[in-house]
Amino acid sequence: MKTMVEIAHSFLSPALHRQAVCVDATFGQGKDTDWFVKRKVGKVYAFDIQEHLIERRKNDFQSHVRLIADSHASMGRYVKEDVDAMIFNFGFCPHEDPSVTTMPSESVKAIGAGLKRLRIKGRMALVIYPHQFGKQESEAIEAFLKPVDPHIVSIQKVCGLNIHTGPYAILLEKRKEWK
Ligand SMILES: C[S@@+](CC[C@H](N)C(=O)[O-])C[C@H]1O[C@@H](n2cnc3c(N)ncnc32)[C@H](O)[C@@H]1O
């Protein structure tokens, strides 16, 4: 079976092409950025609040990958063009300080900023961990997205049937302008 990250990648794949603009909203060790680069997209913006994670990998990429040591909630300040594909992999970075984790209100703000930047037909994938520490975040994200008009953003949730605290994915495709 596919992992939730693999499901997120499969969902984003049709939105990728040689000129595609992509956002990795939670860089961490850079696996999602690596995935975008392997698919030969046009540009990648990658965000993480942990500067040392960005520093660690800054020489691994060419100039079409922009690593940004700032919160994804501020992405509107850095990304001024329409985005084709965006991924958020919430929570904390494995093998790093687990207290540095994504936070509910910042995550909701970032998803809103991302939806504004996403082009029509652009795709966003969220991988969410509703365990003890991510439960509040998971609830905040769902409360934000549930009332969204499906004619504006089409949204699906993919989750395990018999695992209640394991990761799940929310997949979004923008249909009309998001205000
Ligand atoms: C689950 S990890 C991401 C894993 C990553 N995609 C990878 O391939 O290794 C979550 C990351 O989000 C980062 N993070 C936490 N709050 C953030 C924020 N407000 N803006 C951007 N990144 C944030 C953490 O520092 C952590 O590295």
Side-chain angles (χ1 to χ4, degrees):
M1 271 195 190
K2 284 183 175 178
T3 65
M4 287 299 161
V5 171
E6 287 167 345
I7 287 171
H9 288 173
S10 301
F11 173 70
L12 295 179
S13 280
L16 304 184
H17 51 83
R18 291 272 171 171
Q19 285 81 40
V21 176
C22 304
V23 172
D24 176 358
T26 48
F27 180 74
Q29 292 163 359
K31 290 186 191 156
D32 296 309
T33 292
D34 289 334
W35 182 79
F36 281 134
V37 169
K38 272 198 198 114
R39 263 129 204 100
K40 302 196 186 312
V41 300
K43 199 184 261 189
V44 183
Y45 294 90
F47 293 85
D48 206 295
I49 49 169
Q50 298 194 69
E51 208 163 342
H52 74 278
L53 296 180
I54 301 269
E55 277 296 310
R56 190 188 288 166
R57 299 250 5 234
K58 73 174 185 209
N59 296 323
D60 294 347
F61 301 107
Q62 293 174 354
S63 60
H64 69 301
V65 177
R66 186 164 171 211
L67 303 183
I68 300 159
D70 199 350
S71 172
H72 39 219
S74 305
M75 78 170 80
R77 217 182 285 154
Y78 302 92
V79 185
K80 299 288 182 195
E81 55 197 323
D82 284 353
V83 172
D84 295 276
M86 192 174 295
I87 188 161
F88 289 79
N89 194 342
F90 292 104
F92 57 84
C93 191
H95 316 299
E96 296 292 330
D97 180 355
S99 70
V100 186
T101 186
T102 51
M103 302 299 279
S105 64
E106 196 82 348
S107 300
V108 165
K109 206 170 145 196
I111 294 168
L115 283 170
K116 227 180 228 174
R117 275 282 155 258
L118 209 61
R119 72 167 70 254
I120 308 287
K121 296 263 185 199
R123 291 185 165 197
M124 179 190 289
L126 315 176
V127 179
I128 298 172
Y129 302 81
H131 48 50
Q132 190 189 351
F133 304 107
K135 196 167 184 303
Q136 266 192 338
E137 180 174 53
S138 147
E139 286 168 358
I141 291 170
E142 292 202 12
F144 175 63
L145 292 176
K146 270 186 185 153
V148 172
D149 181 343
H151 296 101
I152 298 177
V153 188
S154 180
I155 309 177
Q156 292 182 342
K157 179 174 172 178
V158 182
C159 59
L161 187 66
N162 55 353
I163 308 174
H164 304 296
T165 55
Y168 67 97
I170 294 183
L171 310 174
L172 306 92
E173 186 175 71
K174 185 161 158 179
R175 293 180 153 182
K176 285 190 187 152
E177 222 32 75
W178 169 274
K179 299 202 169 98

